[in-house]
Amino acid sequence: MNHGNRSTGPIQSPHLPLGDRRDAPFYGRDILEVAQFRRADLQHVFGVAREMREMVTRVGSFDLLKGKILANLFYEPSTRTASSFYAAMERLGGSVIPINEVRYSSVSKGESLPDTVRSLECYADVIVLRHPELGAAKEAARYARKPIINAGDGIGEHPTQALLDLFTIVEEAGRIDGLTVTMLGDLKNGRTVHSLARLLSMFDVKLRFVSPDSLRFPEKIRDELKEQRIAFSEHGDLEEVLSQTDVLYVTRVQKERFEDPQEYKRVQGAYVINNETLDRARPTMVLMHPLPRVGEISMEVDSDPRAAYFRQMEYGMYVRMALLAMVLGKA
Ligand code: ASP
């Protein structure tokens, strides 16, 4: 195994060959929604993510994607998704064109999404896209020749977040099958829970949804879960399910999706997780949040070992490294 460092030339893990692997799963493909993944694909992504973690721990960065360029195209604000894709690409030895403020790009001159992606792919090998409209990533993929990775399309999906969420569950809880996963907060507008519930429906899990009545899971997703025969129930009060919960996934009320600010105010502080809540939870419960949090988890909880949300962010970088390597044919 040649694990030198950057000064001694390219580093190669035995499972991460430097030549393009055109037969590699997801080589050249878009990542648009979680339905593209089967259980075997998830094992593969997680296996590569673990290798990425090992390599980052040993050497920080290495040259697997040297010469490759990522266009990071963000039409909506982002801290974690944008910077973790950026860091992932840099750690793999590639480069990034960051477009975080589309108002400084030709989008502000009225350029269409198809034209913007067809322009960027002249310079880049892969495009990560965040957009406020549901279906935008699919629309971009229809026009682009290079892979499009959906980094959140409005209230639609956030597939790479769901993959990192699932990876967090595996790493923290040690398994997925048999778990009771409770999702709390804005289940109507939160794209991360939409993707995660769909992904979890491939496993033998129980799902518990806790939200104000006006922020229930969309009917379409509830119907999909019923078709998959996934056991789920809906609640207004966390106490009804807290003691049976193995993973508590808390979400922010998505202010930007509300037309009426009064309605946002009515539901905003509906749930707050604090140390008292955790006193009534299982000692092994995994507490997650896709972040940013705006009051749903008080800071006093951060030092509890069950608080996994910052570790969750780090898992995200390894998963995104794995995905970039996969779509570019290196894993
Ligand atoms: N960062 C996540 C997203 O982009 C969660 C959130 O914004 O609440 O969907």
Side-chain angles (χ1 to χ4, degrees), residues 231-251:
F232 74 89
S233 55
E234 296 182 274
H235 309 263
D237 186 354
L238 176 63
E239 293 306 319
E240 290 169 20
V241 293
L242 182 61
S243 62
Q244 47 174 274
T245 295
D246 298 302
V247 176
L248 178 57
Y249 190 98
V250 182
T251 65

Side-chain angles (χ1 to χ4, degrees), residues 9-184:
I11 286 158
Q12 192 170 358
S13 148
H15 305 294
L16 299 172
L18 284 176
D20 276 20
R21 288 192 47 199
R22 282 158 205 278
D23 60 335
F26 287 86
Y27 173 69
R29 286 177 60 188
D30 305 305
I31 296 179
L32 303 176
E33 56 190 6
V34 292
Q36 293 172 254
F37 292 84
R38 302 281 160 261
R39 278 180 77 140
D41 299 322
L42 299 173
Q43 295 310 332
H44 182 73
V45 175
F46 297 163
V48 179
R50 287 189 191 103
E51 291 198 32
M52 295 300 182
R53 177 171 58 198
E54 198 187 317
M55 292 295 280
V56 169
T57 309
R58 285 181 186 209
V59 294
S61 58
F62 48 106
D63 285 340
L64 191 67
L65 295 185
K66 189 171 162 45
K68 301 286 186 189
I69 297 180
L70 157 70
N72 229 11
L73 178 59
F74 280 69
Y75 288 74
E76 270 192 344
S78 170
T79 301
R80 278 147 291 271
T81 307
S83 52
S84 66
F85 268 113
Y86 198 118
M89 197 63 183
E90 292 273 322
R91 285 190 183 275
L92 290 166
S95 317
V96 183
I97 304 171
I99 305 182
N100 295 331
E101 289 279 7
V102 285
R103 70 193 147 102
Y104 296 128
S105 74
S106 284
V107 170
S108 66
K109 299 180 190 165
E111 186 170 63
S112 68
L113 179 62
D115 280 4
T116 302
V117 295
R118 282 181 296 190
S119 305
L120 286 172
E121 70 181 358
C122 296
Y123 315 131
D125 302 287
V126 54
I127 298 173
V128 169
L129 173 69
R130 168 166 294 184
H131 198 282
E133 274 162 41
L134 199 160
K138 275 192 189 166
E139 160 88 352
R142 255 197 298 282
Y143 290 90
R145 287 173 294 115
K146 307 272 174 72
I148 298 284
I149 300 181
N150 181 4
D153 60 329
I155 62 165
E157 282 224 21
H158 197 344
T160 68
Q161 176 76 43
L163 292 169
L164 80 87
D165 290 340
L166 201 65
F167 187 51
T168 303
I169 294 173
V170 178
E171 297 299 286
E172 297 277 325
R175 67 199 163 106
I176 303 171
D177 286 319
L179 294 179
T180 297
V181 179
T182 297
M183 300 184 187
L184 172 84

Side-chain angles (χ1 to χ4, degrees), residues 34 156-159 162 190-200 221:
V34 292
E157 282 224 21
H158 197 344
R191 55 193 170 203
T192 70
V193 281
H194 299 168
S195 290
L196 183 59
R198 286 176 165 137
L199 208 50
L200 283 168
I221 302 182

Side-chain angles (χ1 to χ4, degrees), residues 177-216:
D177 286 319
L179 294 179
T180 297
V181 179
T182 297
M183 300 184 187
L184 172 84
D186 187 349
L187 307 184
K188 178 183 174 199
N189 301 303
R191 55 193 170 203
T192 70
V193 281
H194 299 168
S195 290
L196 183 59
R198 286 176 165 137
L199 208 50
L200 283 168
S201 72
M202 288 179 217
F203 295 83
D204 175 21
V205 290
K206 290 194 182 92
L207 299 180
R208 303 287 175 248
F209 301 140
V210 183
S211 70
D213 199 45
S214 59
L215 300 180
R216 288 172 65 199

